[in-house]
Amino acid sequence: MQASKPSDPRIAPADAAGIARAAAMLRAGDIVALPTETVYGLAADASRAEAVAAIYRTKGRPDFNPLIVHVPDLVAARAIALLDERAEKLAAAFWPGPLTLVLPLKDGAGIAPAVTAGLSTIALRCPAHPVMRAVLQESGLLLAAPSANRSGAISPTEAAHVAASLGEGLDLILEGGRCTAGLESTIVALRNFAGAPAGWQLLRPGPVAPVAIAALLGEPATPLADQRIEAPGQLASHYAPGKPLRLNAVAGEPDEWLIGFGPVTGDDTLSVSGDLAQAAANLYAALHRADASPKARIAIAPIPRGGMGDAINDRLRRAAAD
């Protein structure tokens, strides 16, 4: 994959003019790529079916895969979803931030059906990135915004990644620098609404650790009973480069671009010091560089389990899946 030139006319500064332009385009039903603290998102007005359809069309995303709706605050979340005491606690603790809550959708919420893929639940997040927050405020909209890349491909953590992945599929990418978290949000589903089975489930690991959620809610996660798709990131094959990816490599083969970690060195590294937060922030950028390298295959060093390591390994397993 060829990186976009810095002078790409679609990449605009996230200044007052850029934010105003993005908000106007979104109100008009267009799509815009925006930075968040996790990855860049491909945003559209969550209430407009045609705008949401443009997200699916531009990404080549399966229409059974729901989208996350980004809200400016808890008040906006309460307007479209049912929040119980647990949801209120989680929002108070982790919003704005990289936690997505899957909650029952309110009747008459005004959300385009394609956003929820026909489910009775909705995935909500209040982002922390100042650019995304400014666009939410300026536009007055709730924004559906999956990662701004071709469906199943490496997620974008820089504006240039978006331009390279989506080609000519959109007209505006706001430049917000490299995403600080570098991995998509943790997704939690709260279950015991209206007589449903009690508990909560981790649908996707991410920057907010399950142990922190369990401590706040006073109970551990309930294991997933089936593989139904309720939120982004649950497909078996996802986040994938265009080349075969070998996991847990301590050395590279001659035709492999080796991404190191800690004591394993290679053509690139996620973290020389073995810092998992640094590795998460660097993961997708390193995969983009490996994909653009002259080597035919990619190998990546072992990543220890626990905490952020579980989220990184989740992405790598899906990236390596056939």
Side-chain angles (χ1 to χ4, degrees), residues 154 183 239 241 243-253 256-262 264-271 276 279-280 282-290 297-304 309 311-320:
I154 308 169
L183 288 182
Y239 317 111
K243 300 174 181 179
L245 174 63
R246 182 168 67 94
L247 307 182
N248 300 312
V250 295
E253 299 294 335
E256 289 180 329
W257 179 277
L258 177 61
I259 301 173
F261 176 79
V264 177
T265 59
D267 302 284
D268 203 341
T269 185
L270 298 181
S271 174
L276 287 171
N282 289 335
L283 176 62
Y284 291 138
L287 286 173
H288 278 285
R289 288 191 291 270
R297 298 188 298 145
I298 304 169
I300 192 162
I303 305 298
I312 296 171
N313 280 303
D314 170 77
R315 305 310 194 274
L316 289 174
R317 282 194 301 271
R318 295 175 195 274

Side-chain angles (χ1 to χ4, degrees), residues 169-181:
L170 76 164
D171 296 325
L172 179 60
I173 306 165
L174 283 192
E175 174 62 79
R178 180 177 288 190
C179 302
T180 54

Side-chain angles (χ1 to χ4, degrees), residues 5 34 42 51 66 69 85 117 134 137 150 158 197 200 202-203 215 251 305 309 318:
K5 295 179 180 179
L34 302 171
L42 187 61
V69 174
E85 182 181 355
Q137 184 69 32
R150 293 293 297 174
E158 300 175 15
W200 64 277
L202 180 69
L203 302 187
R305 299 187 182 280
R318 295 175 195 274

Side-chain angles (χ1 to χ4, degrees), residues 52-77:
V52 174
I55 291 178
Y56 283 101
R57 184 170 58 251
T58 302
K59 282 179 61 69
R61 183 185 180 94
D63 61 8
F64 58 79
N65 197 2
L67 305 176
I68 293 173
V69 174
H70 294 70
V71 298
D73 50 37
L74 192 49
V75 173

